[in-house]
Amino acid sequence: VGTYVVITPDETRRNQLQQIAKKELDDLERWKEEHRPGPIKLVPQRLGGKESEAQARQNQQRMLMQSKYQQKHKREEYIKAKKAAEEAEILKKKAIQREKAKRLEVKKRQEEMQRREMFLENQYYKTNELLNRLELGLPKSDSCQIANRGPESTAWTRSHSYKQALREDENRRLEEMKQEQRRKAELMEFKQKQKEEARTRALQNEQR
């Protein structure tokens, strides 16, 4: 380690600095004593408004309870709205399923009506074919037996009348079935329109 030199302090300079610091501290204490604030004088007044402390605490407690109830009410309203939305979605899906089932039922009924019409038409043609065969077995119109109005002529008349009655009956049945099918189609269309209007009003009410 290298050598070093210790310098002795200047006592005169040190004493001067201590005297200056002491004087400054004395001046600071004197200034504090001179500028010390005096006693505060205020006019007595009642604080807290017109309510007492008990009433203020009671009001504070009531506001806290109301805040809790409001939060609970908002939570319940949110849950209720969520359930209502879920139920509306379920009802919408059920309505779609019902519409599909109804359309399928209408389709089945139409197919059944078509099959019945085809059956009646086939039956009508077969009946005509049978009557035509019966007519072929009867004597001709220019024969003497028909001119004499014998029993065979009476049988031909009955056969012709029966054939005509069957045709009229079949035509009447076909016309009635067609009218019934048209009435059912019009009724289904009217019900469909009513359901669409009711669904539209329900959606508008829900949106409002």
Side-chain angles (χ1 to χ4, degrees):
V1 181
T3 59
Y4 61 92
V5 178
V6 177
I7 299 174
T8 57
D10 189 355
E11 293 294 334
T12 306
R13 179 66 177 168
R14 182 177 181 182
N15 292 331
Q16 289 178 356
L17 291 174
Q18 287 180 353
Q19 290 177 1
I20 292 171
K22 184 178 180 182
K23 182 180 179 182
E24 290 179 353
L25 289 174
D26 294 338
D27 293 339
L28 180 60
E29 291 295 333
R30 190 181 307 108
W31 184 87
K32 287 181 179 181
E33 289 293 335
E34 291 176 357
H35 294 82
R36 179 179 295 178
I40 298 174
K41 296 180 179 180
L42 297 176
V43 178
Q45 59 181 354
R46 185 177 182 180
L47 302 177
K50 297 180 179 180
E51 297 178 352
S52 62
E53 182 179 358
Q55 291 178 350
R57 292 186 181 276
Q58 186 176 2
N59 293 334
Q60 185 179 6
Q61 185 69 20
R62 186 172 61 254
M63 291 176 64
L64 179 62
M65 294 298 294
Q66 289 179 356
S67 176
K68 290 182 179 179
Y69 285 138
Q70 288 177 357
Q71 292 178 0
K72 183 179 179 180
H73 181 67
K74 288 182 180 179
R75 195 181 305 113
E76 291 177 353
E77 289 293 332
Y78 173 75
I79 295 173
K80 190 183 295 183
K82 187 176 180 181
K83 287 183 178 179
E86 292 177 354
E87 290 178 357
E89 187 68 21
I90 293 172
L91 291 175
K92 184 178 179 181
K93 291 181 179 179
K94 287 183 178 179
I96 293 172
Q97 293 296 327
R98 283 195 298 269
E99 291 296 330
K100 289 182 179 179
K102 288 181 179 179
R103 285 196 296 267
L104 182 61
E105 185 178 358
V106 171
K107 185 177 179 181
K108 287 182 179 179
R109 288 180 180 177
Q110 290 178 354
E111 291 177 354
E112 183 67 24
M113 293 289 291
Q114 291 177 359
R115 284 196 296 268
R116 189 175 297 176
E117 288 178 0
M118 291 175 65
F119 172 74
L120 292 175
E121 187 176 0
N122 188 18
Q123 185 180 8
Y124 173 74
Y125 287 136
K126 286 189 177 297
T127 304
N128 287 335
E129 184 179 357
L130 177 62
L131 293 175
N132 290 329
R133 288 178 182 177
L134 292 174
E135 287 180 358
L136 290 175
L138 295 174
K140 295 182 180 179
S141 60
D142 57 350
S143 63
C144 297
Q145 294 176 354
I146 294 178
N148 294 330
R149 297 294 180 179
E152 293 182 355
S153 176
T154 305
W156 179 85
T157 303
R158 288 198 301 268
S159 175
H160 183 72
S161 300
Y162 177 69
K163 177 182 175 182
Q164 188 69 22
L166 283 177
R167 287 179 181 175
E168 292 178 357
D169 189 30
E170 292 297 330
N171 292 330
R172 181 177 56 79
R173 288 182 181 179
L174 288 174
E175 187 64 27
E176 288 179 355
M177 290 176 65
K178 289 180 181 179
Q179 290 180 359
E180 183 67 21
Q181 188 174 4
R182 283 195 296 270
R183 285 196 298 269
K184 288 183 178 179
E186 291 176 357
L187 182 61
M188 291 295 295
E189 185 179 0
F190 179 71
K191 289 182 178 179
Q192 185 70 21
K193 288 182 179 179
Q194 285 184 341
K195 289 181 180 178
E196 290 294 334
E197 291 177 357
R199 190 180 298 110
T200 303
R201 288 194 298 270
L203 289 175
Q204 290 177 355
N205 293 331
E206 184 178 356
Q207 290 177 357
R208 285 198 294 270

